[in-house]
Amino acid sequence: GLDVAVAVVDRVLEGRHGVLRRVGGTAAVGERDRSVGLQVGVQREPHRPSIVRGMTETITVRAPYDGAVIGEIPAMTAADVDTAVGRARQALREQALPLWKRAEILDRAAQQLAERRDEFAEIIAREAAKPIRTARVEAERAVGTFHFCAAEARTLSGEMIALDAIPAGEGKLGFTMRVPIGVVGAIAPFNFPLNLVVHKVGPAIAAGCPVVLKPASQTPFSSLALARMLIDECGLPADHLQVVTGGGS
């Protein structure tokens, strides 16, 4: 996988995946446990969505509600973005996803997100200072967005056209095919840190386009948790979703 912005979160949620632990200034997923960090951390395995070089420059993310430190994310550079785009382009050339695979990934994403709604809602509430009820609604909306994207992925088949509107076209047929146009650059706002990310990532997966995602630096953890879920649990190839964090400039 590519270098992506990741973070280490202070408090632990009840969950079913693993627990984040500090390793040499970064974080890594620990053994399966009843606890789980906010689904963020530096992953060393090549199939993981995140490897951060050094983490020498970071951005401290604080909860808007009380100013408490949630965690830190790397302040990634233009060079990191260029690397992300390069790997995404390579993924499009070498790991193109057929329609059935795109739909399968999106179906799994809807299922997994529905099962983990409360977990994602707590991340949203923590980083965006939303009431937990409102955060759950956002997570539910994101589930619906994935369902719509999965349905749309199954319709991108192209069109057959008869050419006999003129004599020269008699007995001939033309056809069109819909193919991925290229890498999608997705910049997400802070106010809906999960659903508006899914509104960008979901359609891109449906179209077969790799994504370089820049979440808002105030609310990056929903994006990071989503990226891990899509890659680790839904079958999305790692280089089809590159997450870069840092300031807007």
Side-chain angles (χ1 to χ4, degrees):
L2 173 71
D3 305 1
V4 304
V6 289
V8 179
V9 181
D10 292 335
R11 74 191 190 92
V12 175
L13 294 175
E14 288 299 312
R16 59 184 174 83
H17 294 279
V19 61
L20 295 175
R21 67 179 189 275
R22 284 288 184 176
V23 178
T26 65
V29 174
E31 297 300 322
R32 291 180 65 87
D33 190 85
R34 288 184 55 80
S35 305
V36 63
L38 290 185
Q39 291 297 350
V40 291
V42 179
Q43 308 303 319
R44 297 179 180 275
E45 297 89 338
H47 71 282
R48 299 287 189 176
S50 51
I51 304 169
V52 174
R53 296 187 298 265
M55 288 183 67
T56 55
E57 295 187 18
T58 61
I59 298 172
T60 299
V61 181
R62 296 181 179 272
Y65 179 73
D66 57 8
V69 174
I70 301 176
E72 293 184 337
I73 56 173
M76 301 184 79
T77 66
D80 293 313
V81 175
D82 288 342
T83 301
V85 172
R87 293 196 180 183
R89 286 175 173 167
Q90 184 176 1
L92 183 59
R93 292 192 303 269
E94 300 178 3
Q95 293 180 297
L97 297 175
L99 283 175
W100 70 266
K101 184 64 174 178
R102 302 176 209 168
E104 179 183 80
I105 291 168
L106 292 164
D107 283 335
R108 289 179 180 174
Q111 179 182 357
Q112 290 295 325
L113 187 54
E115 292 176 358
R116 295 170 55 185
R117 182 203 65 169
D118 289 346
E119 180 183 327
F120 273 88
E122 289 199 41
I123 300 174
I124 295 166
R126 179 71 168 158
E127 67 180 358
K130 289 189 177 186
I132 189 65
R133 180 181 299 177
T134 304
R136 289 191 185 109
V137 171
E138 179 175 346
E140 290 169 357
R141 289 179 62 192
V143 172
T145 303
F146 273 131
H147 279 305
F148 284 127
C149 292
E152 187 65 20
R154 293 181 167 91
T155 70
L156 302 177
S157 57
E159 186 178 3
M160 189 75 72
I161 305 168
L163 302 180
D164 59 356
I166 59 174
E170 186 174 351
K172 296 183 175 64
L173 294 173
F175 67 91
T176 62
M177 295 180 63
R178 294 188 176 186
V179 298
I181 195 171
V183 176
V184 171
I187 301 176
F190 70 91
N191 54 333
F192 287 92
L194 179 63
N195 190 40
L196 289 185
V197 170
V198 174
H199 269 269
K200 301 172 189 297
V201 173
I205 294 173
C209 295
V211 182
V212 176
L213 171 63
K214 164 63 174 69
S217 56
Q218 305 99 312
T219 56
F221 303 121
S222 296
S223 291
L224 296 167
L226 180 70
R228 283 191 54 186
M229 185 192 80
L230 287 168
I231 293 169
D232 291 353
E233 302 175 40
C234 303
L236 183 68
D239 286 345
H240 272 255
L241 178 55
Q242 309 289 334
V243 181
V244 293
T245 57
S249 60

